[in-house]
Amino acid sequence: MATRTSIGRAAGVALAILALGVGFGAAAPAEAGPTVDQIRQRGVIRAGVGSQQGFFAPDASGRWRGFFVDFGRALAVTLFNDPDKIEFTNASPQQRLPALQAGQFDILLSGVTETILRAFKLNFNFGPVVFYDGQAILVKKSLGVTKAADLDGATIGVQSGTTSEANIADFFKKAGKTYKPVVIEDTNTFTQALVSGRVDALTQDGSDLGLRRAALPNPDDWVVLPERLSKEPLAPAIRWGDDQWLQIVTWTVYATIQAEEWGMDSQNVDSFLTSDDPAIRRFLGVDPSLGEAIGLDPKFAYNIVKKVGNYGEIFERNLGKSTKIGFDRGLNRLWTQGGLLYSPPFR
């Protein structure tokens, strides 16, 4: 058995070697995992999405557009330097997670809430949160309801295959109130259940309900209650078992956030190529050492910003104040602006 002294010396040597490897870039970049290999052989990323204007929807010509779609295009830029090297497939909330488990998708960009059970029980990994949301309730104004607890005894529509079912049950139990859940599978009939009077209210992510309210014939007759019943951090989801793919997804998202923090966007990014800042030079690939060390195109971040944009651009063109949706960024602002978006350093 090794003595405590010898163990301490061995640990010290190991730490010294690790420090040298970190300090001087001695470690080789990780080899591509099975998902990355399959994607590159196939020549296209397969992404599962939902169907909601602003987040993911085909336009009149059939081209997919939206907030989550743009993060998929950024990912295609990272791997192929081509934002079109990705296929989007609409799948219902009940279908998406099993399809990802079965390998039908390489990634879900469908507004999946990150939860501990999905991580451990379903064996999913999550990239960074790209949209901070929370569960809300949509009701008719004429009911005179101002808070969720006022719906004691009400019939409430919930969408199956989402976290909403458990969240609404927890809320009413905690509040000491009762309700009757109506589980609705078809997303196309979800809003109709409220309009027809089948249910008194709908509960779902606040952003989703805001979009559904805006699409109603008389939006002012309806209200999304201001309180939030849960935290709904929406993030890209992938299967366990491919650390390299997880890191590519993660740092693709972070590139859009870091670019916004530095003030880079698709229109001005070229002006940063002459920067003397070492961090910016590494980020944009002017100094190729970072990209070479991690096994990616040294200009992957530059290409993302140039071809897709920074986080702020992605948000504003799909969901922002100048769109029909008109969302305020709220928690989805940079940390320097009072929000929750934050990128680790690119070094």
Side-chain angles (χ1 to χ4, degrees):
M1 179 179 292
T3 65
R4 192 168 296 179
T5 302
S6 63
I7 291 173
R9 288 199 190 101
V13 171
L15 287 172
I17 292 172
L18 179 61
L20 287 172
V22 172
F24 295 100
E31 294 182 1
T35 306
V36 179
D37 283 340
Q38 291 168 11
I39 291 170
R40 285 181 169 148
Q41 291 169 9
R42 190 191 311 130
V44 67
I45 301 166
R46 298 182 305 191
V49 295
S51 180
Q52 186 64 275
Q53 201 69 34
F55 285 105
F56 18 57
D59 62 18
S61 66
R63 180 176 174 80
W64 282 88
R65 298 187 184 277
F67 177 79
F68 286 104
V69 167
D70 278 349
F71 283 101
R73 297 201 185 282
L75 194 54
V77 170
T78 298
L79 283 184
F80 299 110
N81 194 20
D82 185 344
D84 292 326
K85 293 284 188 178
I86 183 166
E87 294 175 350
F88 298 100
T89 301
N90 178 26
S92 71
Q94 302 81 22
Q95 298 169 332
R96 293 168 198 163
L97 298 179
L100 179 62
Q101 284 178 316
Q104 296 176 33
F105 300 132
D106 303 310
I107 187 169
L108 284 186
L109 293 165
S110 54
V112 181
T113 300
E114 180 177 0
T115 71
I116 191 169
L117 283 179
R118 286 174 173 173
F120 281 87
K121 188 174 181 180
L122 299 183
N123 294 345
F124 293 147
N125 277 323
F126 292 89
V129 174
V130 294
F131 193 88
Y132 289 92
D133 210 342
Q135 188 168 330
I137 292 179
L138 174 65
V139 296
K140 200 163 189 175
K141 278 185 180 178
S142 59
L143 286 180
V145 172
T146 60
K147 59 184 183 299
D150 293 340
L151 290 166
D152 189 19
T155 300
I156 300 178
V158 297
Q159 193 139 32
S160 63
T162 69
T163 55
S164 301
E165 293 180 77
N167 290 339
I168 194 70
D170 287 349
F171 173 83
F172 274 90
K173 182 176 181 180
K174 183 177 178 180
K177 308 290 184 178
T178 63
Y179 78 107
K180 180 182 177 181
V182 175
V183 179
I184 302 170
E185 291 194 9
D186 187 354
T187 58
N188 296 319
T189 62
F190 192 55
T191 307
Q192 186 57 34
L194 180 63
V195 175
S196 67
R198 180 185 173 196
V199 298
D200 301 310
L202 294 178
T203 187
Q204 182 59 288
D205 291 353
S207 61
D208 179 83
L209 294 181
L211 294 173
R212 291 180 184 277
R213 174 186 172 276
L216 289 170
N218 299 296
D220 290 341
D221 292 344
W222 308 87
V223 60
V224 177
L225 299 182
E227 67 185 307
R228 294 295 179 263
L229 312 185
S230 68
K231 295 182 290 186
E232 301 296 328
L234 309 183
I238 67 171
R239 296 181 301 280
W240 273 10
D242 195 331
D243 291 344
Q244 182 79 343
W245 179 226
L246 175 61
Q247 294 305 318
I248 288 172
V249 171
T250 296
W251 289 94
T252 293
V253 173
Y254 283 149
T256 69
I257 297 171
Q258 183 60 67
E260 185 182 10
E261 183 177 337
W262 273 327
M264 295 177 192
D265 59 37
S266 59
Q267 302 301 310
N268 70 11
V269 64
D270 286 339
S271 68
F272 285 83
L273 293 173
T274 57
S275 172
D276 293 329
D277 186 329
I280 290 176
R281 292 174 65 83
R282 289 192 299 269
F283 180 78
L284 295 178
V286 178
D287 172 356
S289 61
L290 179 63
E292 291 171 350
I294 61 177
L296 293 177
D297 182 343
K299 298 188 70 174
F300 85 94
Y302 166 83
N303 293 331
I304 289 171
V305 179
K306 186 71 173 179
K307 297 182 178 184
V308 182
N310 67 29
Y311 181 96
E313 288 180 282
I314 292 171
F315 187 99
E316 293 303 328
R317 71 166 162 261
N318 292 298
L319 304 172
K321 293 294 187 180
S322 63
T323 70
K324 292 181 180 180
I325 294 167
F327 282 170
D328 181 84
R329 282 184 65 172
L331 295 177
N332 297 296
R333 295 186 177 95
L334 295 175
W335 67 286
T336 54
Q337 299 169 358
L340 297 178
L341 294 184
Y342 185 100
S343 170
F346 276 73
R347 65 167 182 260

